[in-house]
Amino acid sequence: MIERKKEMGRDRVSRLVSWGHWFAFFNGFLAMIVGVRYIETVGAPESWLGWFYLVISTIGHFSFLAFIVYLVLLFPITLILPYSKILRGLAAVAATLSLCVLLYDTLIYDDYGLHLSPFVFDIAWADLNALLQGTSYIVTPIGILILELTAANYLWKRIEKIRKVNCGNKVVAVVGICFISSHLIHIWADAADITEITRLDDAYPLSYPATARSFMESHGIEKSTVAHAPESLQPALNYPIAPLQCKPDDQINILIVAIDGFRADLLDPVTMPFLSQFAQQNHQFKHHLSGGNMHNSGMFSLLYGLQGSYIAANDLNYRPPALHQELARQGYAMGRFAPDKDNIVPHALYQGLDNQVQSIDDGVAMADIKAIEAFRQWHKAQNQPWYSLVNLQSPDSYDTPVGFLGIETVKPQLPLKAAQKVLFNQYRQSLYFVDTQLQQLLTELPNNTFVLVTGVSGKVFTSNGDESRSNLSPSNVQVPLIIHWPNQQHSKSVDYATSHSGIVPTIMTQLLNCNNPAKDYSSGRSLLQPNSAAWSYVGDNLIFGIYQQDEITVIDRHGKYRIYNKAYSQRIRKKISAPELIEVMREGRRFYNH
């Protein structure tokens, strides 16, 4: 009798476990349907390979998630309380909550480009009214619960028939093959830079596709031996949002001088006598921020005028800045003169320019000299309006030419350590050298030349690249900005805050006669009027800072954040300001959502 009861108990548990697996599979299928919303956000694939990967990864991923939910929440209850009515009710409620969370995640991902986490939930909670509109947030959970209860009862009543069909192993095999195959395909795609596949990496929540770039290369599979994704892929980024409406009129020459590692507080009459006087005679912006603390992020914000979160957008590897597109349409000769630089991101940053880069074998300072000489020869040979980007990099490397007679060392006003004091004075020598080069450069230009001199980034006195990379203090991002308007000799000093994202709108509206609103092609506004935004974005897609009037918030890619005072000298213990961060996240999605 006792054995009979044990056998009946084991059979009941077996039926419940079997029912649980099929119920989990059903919810995996529902999750796949909800997952279509993620594809609407990131954009559907353009090739059969992309679609094949998307289908098998969707089946494998959401089936796996559904099984994990069952294993964690329902399987233990099956062993403790093996009663079908209780289990069916609990399962329906758990499945409803899980699907509602998934639906909420699709809303957040569409709006912010991030999946749910404690950090993101904190921000989204403050924006709940905007995310949840109408009565759908009440009706939808009720509808899902009814569907789950119906499915739970339906499967329980027919579980014996389903078991007799004996197709469970086949379903598990198909799901398992999809799961494993998707990871194997991703390993290959990661090693071969197949962006049609790797761009979907962050599309689904809790998705961590396998990568094995170093493993494949060690086995003789090099990136160059595998076909790359076609460059003709339709871009998911809508940039610019609307066609540019510009009318060429009285075309003038345009010169942008961008200096790597150019601190705003060292533009003084002793260190840089020529540029200091030049600034006093022209349009000088006293509180200007670069868009980044490194070469790529600083130049990206300067030339694209976009928030640094867009720097990794695959489309921008094929699409040059809107500024360069319009200059080409208006028939400008376009050139870039700079020391050689590796790993330019995005790849189309300088596309379409006559790139005359100089070797740094003899030092960065000598490369700067050669770059300026190459520009002088180039612009004198032009018989049409020209646009030129001259990038000088000596200060970022503390470099000066051999035999250069600099200026006297001074005691820094900044609180610096002994090693930093040495770097400080070497940095001043480099700035003085650049000043002499700028004097030669800017005094030989045609009268009808618009000149803009600024920094690519600021400079902190360290030889540690990682420290410089993570430092978003004013020293590392506040740079000079000086504008000379052709045929105008009046001076003006601007005391309101400006940033690199406003440079492109200024040039487009004032020089290229574009009528589009700046938001069509930029994250900024014209420099000629105060920006109404209460924040400025500094950084890239991995680590960025939000500059506000009295504080600086630094956030990394994992959502960890720290808040500092205005001088970046003291950490403030407070919660992040949700309204500003919501604006930042929406701006980071705006060119995807149109």
Side-chain angles (χ1 to χ4, degrees):
M1 186 70 175
I2 295 174
E3 290 296 326
R4 176 62 178 166
K5 286 184 178 180
K6 288 182 179 180
E7 185 178 345
M8 290 176 63
R10 284 194 295 268
D11 183 59
R12 183 167 63 244
V13 171
S14 176
R15 290 182 65 201
L16 286 172
V17 169
S18 181
W19 167 86
H21 283 86
W22 283 107
F23 187 71
F25 176 74
F26 170 75
N27 276 280
F29 180 72
L30 292 182
M32 294 176 209
I33 296 175
V34 174
V36 172
R37 295 170 63 96
Y38 294 112
I39 305 306
E40 292 175 354
T41 299
V42 300
E46 296 292 329
S47 68
W48 68 266
L49 177 62
W51 274 110
F52 177 72
Y53 172 77
L54 179 62
V55 169
I56 63 172
S57 64
T58 300
I59 294 172
H61 182 68
F62 286 110
S63 298
F64 179 74
L65 285 185
F67 178 72
I68 290 298
V69 171
Y70 163 75
L71 198 63
V72 172
L73 298 181
L74 299 180
F75 183 71
I77 299 176
T78 303
L79 302 178
I80 298 171
L81 294 173
Y83 302 104
S84 66
K85 290 183 179 180
I86 295 175
L87 194 62
R88 279 179 277 163
L90 289 174
V93 171
T96 300
L97 290 174
S98 299
L99 286 173
C100 286
V101 169
L102 187 64
L103 279 168
Y104 187 46
D105 185 71
T106 64
L107 293 175
I108 291 174
Y109 187 74
D110 184 57
D111 212 24
Y112 303 152
L114 298 171
H115 292 293
L116 268 177
S117 66
F119 164 74
V120 175
F121 184 80
D122 234 12
I123 302 303
W125 185 258
D127 198 29
L128 199 60
N129 289 336
L131 289 170
L132 302 179
Q133 300 175 352
T135 59
S136 59
Y137 64 93
I138 298 175
V139 175
T140 301
I142 294 174
I144 294 175
L145 181 60
I146 293 172
L147 177 62
E148 294 290 355
L149 287 170
T150 302
N153 290 324
Y154 180 87
L155 288 171
W156 178 250
K157 290 178 181 179
R158 291 161 177 77
I159 191 61
E160 288 300 331
K161 292 182 180 179
I162 296 173
R163 293 172 75 179
K164 288 178 181 178
V165 174
N166 196 26
C167 61
N169 292 336
K170 297 176 183 178
V171 172
V172 171
V174 170
V175 171
I177 290 171
C178 289
F179 183 80
I180 294 172
S181 298
S182 65
H183 284 270
L184 291 175
I185 291 174
H186 189 274
I187 289 172
W188 167 74
D190 178 67
D193 278 342
I194 308 298
T195 53
E196 176 79 339
I197 291 174
T198 56
R199 75 180 184 86
L200 301 171
D201 287 359
D202 297 324
Y204 293 149
L206 301 176
S207 175
Y208 306 100
T211 60
R213 185 187 300 261
S214 59
F215 174 83
M216 294 189 74
E217 289 179 352
S218 68
H219 285 73
I221 304 178
E222 301 293 337
K223 291 172 65 175
S224 60
T225 64
V226 189
H228 285 241
E231 296 190 5
S232 59
L233 292 174
Q234 292 296 319
L237 191 71
N238 192 12
Y239 168 80
I241 290 173
L244 297 177
Q245 305 293 330
C246 309
K247 298 178 181 178
D249 181 32
D250 296 330
Q251 294 176 314
I252 62 173
N253 304 317
I254 301 172
L255 171 63
I256 295 178
V257 181
I259 304 170
D260 280 29
F262 191 12
R263 289 173 63 116
D265 58 356
L266 285 178
L267 176 56
D268 59 63
V270 176
T271 308
M272 305 188 77
F274 168 77
L275 190 60
S276 180
Q277 183 179 9
F278 184 81
Q280 292 174 8
Q281 296 171 348
N282 288 284
H283 205 161
Q284 184 177 13
F285 297 79
K286 292 293 189 72
H287 304 285
H288 186 78
L289 294 176
S290 170
N293 60 348
M294 305 293 286
H295 179 87
N296 282 338
S297 54
M299 292 301 296
F300 177 80
S301 61
L302 174 61
L303 298 180
Y304 276 97
L306 296 176
Q307 186 170 291
S309 55
Y310 290 104
I311 196 170
N314 181 62
D315 311 80
L316 298 183
N317 287 320
Y318 317 109
R319 182 168 294 192
L323 171 64
H324 293 172
Q325 295 179 41
E326 182 56 31
L327 286 165
R329 275 194 289 267
Q330 295 195 16
Y332 274 76
M334 300 190 295
R336 168 181 168 242
F337 307 87
D340 198 6
K341 197 82 172 179
D342 294 329
N343 301 319
I344 298 300
V345 176
H347 300 324
L349 185 61
Y350 304 125
Q351 183 178 308
L353 304 183
D354 179 5
N355 285 287
Q356 298 193 26
V357 295
Q358 310 299 321
S359 170
I360 59 173
D361 290 345
D362 295 327
V364 178
M366 284 303 301
D368 282 347
I369 293 174
K370 293 176 182 177
I372 290 175
E373 181 58 33
F375 163 73
R376 293 166 67 186
Q377 295 179 12
W378 179 85
H379 87 76
K380 290 177 181 178
Q382 302 306 316
N383 54 11
Q384 63 191 100
W386 51 262
Y387 160 85
S388 179
L389 172 65
V390 175
N391 176 214
L392 306 178
Q393 299 173 14
S394 299
D396 197 46
S397 303
Y398 306 99
D399 197 24
T400 55
V402 175
F404 177 75
L405 298 177
I407 52 177
E408 294 182 357
T409 59
V410 297
K411 182 180 179 180
Q413 300 297 316
L414 309 169
L416 299 176
K417 298 177 182 178
Q420 291 177 315
K421 291 178 181 178
V422 175
L423 292 177
F424 167 78
N425 274 294
Q426 183 59 35
Y427 177 72
R428 290 180 64 250
Q429 304 299 328
S430 184
L431 286 182
Y432 184 69
F433 157 69
V434 166
D435 190 67
T436 62
Q437 297 302 304
L438 290 175
Q439 184 172 8
Q440 296 179 33
L441 174 66
L442 300 182
T443 54
E444 297 182 355
L445 296 173
N447 291 332
N448 65 332
T449 303
F450 167 88
V451 180
L452 185 148
V453 181
T454 189
V456 178
S457 66
K459 186 68 177 174
V460 288
F461 301 120
T462 177
S463 56
N464 186 327
D466 290 337
E467 181 182 347
S468 179
R469 170 76 179 81
S470 60
N471 188 303
L472 288 166
S473 67
S475 298
N476 215 18
V477 298
Q478 189 167 350
V479 297
L481 175 62
I482 305 153
I483 293 180
H484 168 74
W485 300 94
N487 304 316
Q488 296 182 21
Q489 294 299 322
H490 67 277
S491 62
K492 183 178 181 181
S493 180
V494 173
D495 289 323
Y496 54 78
T498 57
S499 71
H500 268 12
S501 60
I503 290 176
V504 167
T506 304
I507 295 176
M508 297 284 271
T509 56
Q510 300 299 312
L511 304 182
L512 303 182
N513 297 298
C514 296
N515 297 321
N516 300 66
K519 64 181 181 180
D520 279 359
Y521 53 83
S522 173
S523 298
R525 303 291 183 272
S526 173
L527 298 169
L528 303 184
Q529 56 188 14
N531 196 339
S532 58
W535 52 269
S536 292
Y537 186 106
V538 175
D540 52 26
N541 59 315
L542 301 179
I543 181 170
F544 64 92
I546 303 173
Y547 268 67
Q548 296 170 260
Q549 184 174 359
D550 298 316
E551 64 189 42
I552 303 167
T553 304
V554 177
I555 308 173
D556 66 18
R557 64 184 302 183
H558 305 294
K560 296 179 181 178
Y561 67 89
R562 292 188 175 187
I563 302 176
Y564 298 89
N565 63 356
K566 186 177 181 180
Y568 206 79
S569 59
Q570 184 178 357
R571 188 175 172 185
I572 303 173
R573 302 288 178 177
K574 60 177 287 190
K575 293 198 73 172
I576 197 169
S577 176
E580 285 77 14
L581 185 57
I582 290 169
E583 289 182 23
V584 170
M585 296 168 81
R586 284 188 173 153
E587 178 59 36
R589 299 296 301 168
R590 187 166 63 85
F591 285 89
Y592 290 106
N593 293 339
H594 281 79

